[in-house]
Every structure is written in C-alpha cells, then in structure tokens.
Amino acid sequence: MGTPSTPWVTCPNPAPSAVKRLFCLPYAGGGASVYRSWGKSLGSSIEVCPIQLPGREARLFEPSFDDITPLIEATLKHLTPYLDKPYAFYGHSMGALLAFELTRAIERKPNLLRPERIFLGAHRAAHLPRHRKPMHELSHQEFLAVLRDYGGFVDEIINNDEMMELLLPAIRADFKLCDTYRFEDRGQVSCPIHLLAGALDNKTTVESIQAWQQHSAATVDLEIIDGGHFFLNTHAPIVLGHISKKLKL
C-alpha cells in the first residue's frame, strides 16, 4: 500500500505483499493507536490498517463527527482507494456499529469490492434499543464518572484535567453519535459476521450481541472471551488468534 495518502487510513506495519487487509475501527474516544501492535501479531500476509477518525490523536484538533451518516460517507470516501484486495473489518463497541454501517454502505455500491467478513465486538445488535440513558448530555462530572465505570482509559489520562479537556469533545461526540443512532432496515449484509463478546462485560450482554445473527445472509458465529467490555486490550492474544483463524479460511 505504501505511505497512506489520507489521514483516515493508517498502516503502522506496511505489508505490500499481504493478500488481505484488516481495517480496524475504534471504540468511543479511541484512536488508531489501539490497534498499533496488531500488524506484527497477524503477520505479513495480513496488512492491518486502523482507521483514524477526526478529533483524536494525530487529528486531535479536527472537528469530530457526532452523526453516523456523514461519518460513514466521509470514511468510505477516503477508504475506497484501499479496497483493491480482499479485506475485512474489525470494530469494537462503537467501532462495531461503524463497521456494520460501512459494510451496508459498500454493499449499496455495485462497483466496490465487498468485505469478505466483518468482526463485531462488544456492541449490541443494531436493531436493539439502547437501555442506558443518553450520555452526551451529562454534566462534566457525571460524564467522567460513567467513563471511569466503563474502563478503557488509564488513570493517568482520565485523572489529568488538562488531558481530558482536550479529549472530551471527541468522546462526547462519539457518545452522541451512538445515542442518536437509529437503525433502518435495509436487508442483511452478504458476508459472514464473527461476533466477539466479553463474558464479564457489564455494559453489553452476550444475548444482545448474539442478536446480530439476523443481520447476515451468510454465517454468523460467536466467540465469548473471558474479559470485560475492553477485552481487546486485556485479552489481545485471544482476540488476534480468533481473527487470524477466520481471515485464513
């Protein structure tokens, strides 16, 4: 692939001879660095390309999207040049919703290569209602309290007022995107869906993740990992082993 020509698509470990690409989408408030080590773990046959959304890390001072429709349109515009070989998506939490909607957008465009499969982790099926109260309108202290409860942010960051002042606009925008998402039934996706759930996740139940099975016309399987909501961080070798096995089918 060479050096990315867009800030949207990163590639920490370029693999020009790779036979497949894995595009990774972050959880709310997360950036491309979440997936920085994945390329080395998956080997040279799979080129890992984390998506860097505006408002975080190297794009910190760009405005974040708080509506999923324009975000999907913008992401697909910049992603299209990289859809020139077999590929898959991995999305975690909010990223799972983005991966699903990206797949639906791609399948509506007959000239684009469709993903071989998608991996969806730690997010309830798109058609299910949200049970928690909206987060993006919470007060500053309430919002921080909920973020601490979710986990995923190290203490050095979430307890640093100056750092959080920089990060919170993007995090709030992400939660607004999730809070205001409304599922529209446009039929099933054509590719297999591989589901990943945390057995100890107190935010997303295994049953709500299993409900994704109605959204694929192909196969759907579920891997339950002995971790919480952010099992991709705490149990990365298990997650990567599962992804590698499926990508090499």
Side-chain angles (χ1 to χ4, degrees), residues 2-239:
T3 303
S5 59
T6 170
W8 290 76
V9 183
T10 70
C11 187
N13 300 101
S17 62
V19 296
K20 294 182 181 180
R21 290 194 178 114
L22 176 67
F23 298 102
C24 302
L25 293 135
Y27 48 77
S33 66
V34 171
Y35 302 104
R36 183 180 293 141
S37 65
W38 282 29
K40 291 181 180 179
S41 299
L42 290 176
S44 59
S45 64
I46 300 168
E47 188 171 50
V48 178
C49 302
I51 302 300
Q52 187 70 283
L53 302 180
R56 61 215 76 207
E57 297 180 350
R59 307 184 68 187
L60 179 63
F61 298 105
E62 298 180 43
S64 303
F65 286 80
D66 60 9
D67 185 316
I68 196 168
T69 300
L71 177 56
I72 293 299
E73 292 173 354
T75 304
L76 183 53
K77 174 184 175 182
H78 293 281
L79 189 62
T80 295
Y82 300 88
L83 307 184
D84 59 346
K85 62 172 62 176
Y87 67 94
F89 289 124
Y90 177 86
H92 194 86
S93 196
M94 178 189 77
L97 194 61
L98 298 181
F100 173 67
E101 288 296 344
L102 266 173
T103 300
R104 297 214 294 175
I106 288 167
E107 292 197 347
R108 292 195 294 271
K109 295 182 180 294
N111 59 317
L112 292 183
L113 181 66
R114 297 180 173 189
E116 284 193 341
R117 59 193 71 247
I118 57 177
F119 299 87
L120 307 181
H123 197 286
R124 71 187 187 283
H127 67 282
L128 295 180
R130 171 178 44 79
H131 291 301
R132 62 168 175 78
K133 65 180 181 180
M135 278 186 58
H136 68 283
E137 295 178 346
L138 295 177
S139 70
H140 179 75
Q141 291 304 321
E142 289 176 321
F143 194 69
L144 286 179
V146 175
L147 290 182
R148 288 190 177 94
D149 184 51
Y150 262 86
F153 292 92
V154 297
D155 290 342
E156 289 80 2
I157 292 178
I158 203 164
N159 293 328
N160 185 317
D161 292 340
E162 292 183 359
M163 181 70 73
M164 290 306 294
E165 185 176 351
L166 291 173
L167 300 179
L168 277 176
I171 301 174
R172 279 192 182 272
D174 287 350
F175 274 100
K176 183 178 180 181
L177 181 152
C178 296
D179 289 344
T180 58
Y181 172 79
R182 296 292 181 269
F183 173 72
E184 295 183 20
D185 190 357
R186 298 190 181 98
Q188 298 172 311
V189 299
S190 63
C191 64
I193 296 178
H194 305 293
L195 304 171
L196 296 94
L200 307 178
D201 187 347
N202 63 357
K203 304 301 178 186
T204 312
T205 66
V206 172
E207 290 75 20
S208 69
I209 294 174
Q210 283 179 312
W212 280 107
Q213 62 188 344
Q214 72 180 62
H215 292 289
S216 174
T219 58
V220 178
D221 56 51
L222 170 67
E223 183 81 3
I224 300 177
I225 296 169
D226 189 23
H229 190 70
F230 290 97
F231 57 76
L232 85 165
N233 295 330
T234 59
H235 294 68
I238 296 174
V239 173

